[in-house]
Amino acid sequence: MIFSSQARSRIVLALQGGGAHGAFTWGVLDRLFEEGLEFSAVSGVSSGAMNAAMAVQGFVHGGPEGARAAMRQLWTRVGEANVFSTIASPLDWLWGWDKGIELGNELAWTGLANVLRVFDPGQLNPLGQNPLAPLIKDLLDKEAIRKPSAPRLFVGATDVESGESKVFGNAEIDVQHLLASACLPMMVPAIEIEGRHYWDGGYSCNPPLAPVLSPRPDQLVLVRAQPRQRKGVPNSTSDIVHRLHEIAFQAPLEAELSLLPRHTRLLDISADEALAKHPLTSKMNTDKSFLEILFAAGREAAETALHTA
């Protein structure tokens, strides 16, 4: 498949959220942009929203290669900072964290899941720190994403009180909007924007499709960052809760996909093979080596899609 610049206005992207699993999406897009993919609009939530913002501002500065560079900068910084390791805990729940990451020790991840289940956010993060805030503040180029020539950018979040999705566009997107889209309520406080409070967009739209489908594009490239299928039945409470979240996070997307315009081709890049083999809590693993594994898996998934589409 060859993506020509003439087709830019007819191709749109939709990027699921999934925490650290967004590195898989990074890999997918890196390979597609390497192929010359150009796009007119992109929507995303959580890590998908961050990938989307970087892709848009990078594209403004340097086309597909600029988008690749901007996303690489984002994930390099995430891995170098190991962002989720900065949140403190009363029980030092980072016991064995580094070893668990390097050796793939699922016991460490089980311990993390159990602590998240037992302690409330105020105990785990008493200062209300959001480790993503300084990173996004440093990287986001608001002027670039608001240029008239920029691809349209849509970021989804969930209104805590109404439970409805809220979609923000280029002209209003700031650091707070990206933080709202990626707000994990068990770890960081809800994000307030103009008197409303928001949680992760995955609860209500993962990602929102209506904004990118309204112009009736020729092709929708959907990149999933969560597995739809997992073998086996979870037994522990924490694993059951995490699997329920995975299932629930797919529901809004499947509902919107049923409304896909008949003439719009769908390139649906699945994360099942790459992500289902990792623990349910691996979305919290921002270790550099793990992100690189997901990046490589994403590029491989994109390569497969390019040869089968």
Side-chain angles (χ1 to χ4, degrees), residues 14-18 43-46 48 200-209 222-226 245-246 248-254 256:
L15 313 178
Q16 267 197 333
S43 72
V45 300
S46 191
D200 193 296
Y203 295 109
S204 58
C205 54
N206 196 19
L209 295 186
L222 169 64
V223 185
R224 299 179 187 264
Q226 297 189 39
H245 281 180
E246 279 188 338
F249 275 22
Q250 300 290 352
L253 173 61
E254 298 303 327
E256 287 201 85

Side-chain angles (χ1 to χ4, degrees), residues 182-193:
C183 179
L184 299 174
M186 292 180 290
M187 297 186 66
V188 296
I191 304 297
E192 183 177 358
I193 300 174

Side-chain angles (χ1 to χ4, degrees), residues 172-188:
E172 56 192 329
I173 291 173
D174 201 341
V175 173
Q176 287 296 94
H177 300 83
L178 291 178
L179 291 177
S181 184
C183 179
L184 299 174
M186 292 180 290
M187 297 186 66
V188 296

Side-chain angles (χ1 to χ4, degrees), residues 30 33-35 58-59 62-70:
D30 185 78
F33 288 137
E34 184 180 57
E35 193 72 14
F59 193 89
E65 286 302 315
R68 294 180 70 195

Side-chain angles (χ1 to χ4, degrees), residues 91-154:
L91 291 183
D92 189 21
W93 57 272
L94 297 178
W95 58 269
W97 179 269
D98 291 334
K99 290 183 179 179
I101 291 173
E102 293 174 1
L103 302 178
N105 185 348
E106 294 190 18
L107 181 61
W109 292 110
T110 301
L112 167 59
N114 288 334
V115 170
L116 289 174
R117 179 166 54 88
V118 172
F119 295 92
D120 65 45
Q123 292 172 300
L124 290 173
N125 187 11
L127 299 179
Q129 297 174 327
N130 191 320
L132 292 172
L135 186 150
I136 297 175
K137 183 177 181 180
D138 191 36
L139 293 180
L140 182 65
D141 186 345
K142 293 183 292 184
E143 292 185 4
I145 66 174
R146 294 175 184 179
K147 284 188 175 182
S149 60
R152 290 175 301 131
L153 172 62
F154 302 99

Side-chain angles (χ1 to χ4, degrees), residues 8 24 54 93 115 131 150 162 164 175 198 218 224-225 227 240 242 247-248:
R8 172 186 168 183
F24 170 83
M54 293 301 105
W93 57 272
V115 170
S162 71
E164 298 178 350
V175 173
Y198 296 96
D218 289 337
R224 299 179 187 264
I240 290 171
H242 282 292
I247 294 171

